[in-house]
Amino acid sequence: MIEGLRLGREKIVVPCTIEIEHTWESLHAHVELEGLTVEPGDEVHVQGGEILVPYGERRVLQRMATVTRASAPERLWVKMTGDFEFMELLEFSFSSGEKL
């Protein structure tokens, strides 16, 4: 099979590292998959229960993740429509800051 031309969906289970920080300086959560790159249309599900990090703390955890690879038609659709969906997240303002 040529990579990127799969017609069906494929599930792959890989280890991952989760970093969560809940501090004044940063509020973020990052997942790094070991040995796998996520491509357009792929879905990632981190296994395990909910992770709660109290304010002022940072945690790094090891878990497993299930990656569902997009099929070739799904990947093409995401590439064609992805820019439109991204634009929905943006809000533009051209005000001068003066009160009306």
Side-chain angles (χ1 to χ4, degrees):
M1 173 183 357
I2 298 172
E3 183 62 29
L5 293 179
R6 65 181 78 71
L7 295 176
R9 300 186 102 202
E10 175 186 12
K11 290 191 178 199
I12 305 166
V13 178
V14 296
C16 67
T17 301
I18 307 161
E19 177 191 332
I20 303 171
E21 185 170 341
H22 186 190
T23 62
W24 174 258
E25 294 82 22
S26 181
L27 174 61
H28 70 264
H30 298 284
V31 175
E32 186 173 326
L33 303 173
E34 292 183 25
L36 192 66
T37 301
V38 177
E39 299 177 25
D42 292 348
E43 298 174 11
V44 178
H45 175 80
V46 177
Q47 299 174 9
E50 181 178 347
I51 302 169
L52 298 174
V53 178
Y55 180 77
E57 292 188 20
R58 176 182 176 270
R59 295 214 179 132
V60 177
L61 307 162
Q62 301 295 317
R63 291 218 176 151
M64 298 301 286
T66 302
V67 178
T68 304
R69 291 287 198 188
S71 65
E74 289 171 320
R75 193 170 312 287
L76 178 62
W77 177 253
V78 169
K79 286 181 180 181
M80 291 182 351
T81 62
D83 289 340
F84 300 118
E85 292 178 13
F86 175 73
M87 293 303 288
E88 291 177 9
L89 298 174
L90 300 177
E91 180 179 327
F92 297 97
S93 174
F94 298 101
S95 65
S96 64
E98 294 179 24
K99 291 186 179 181
L100 299 176

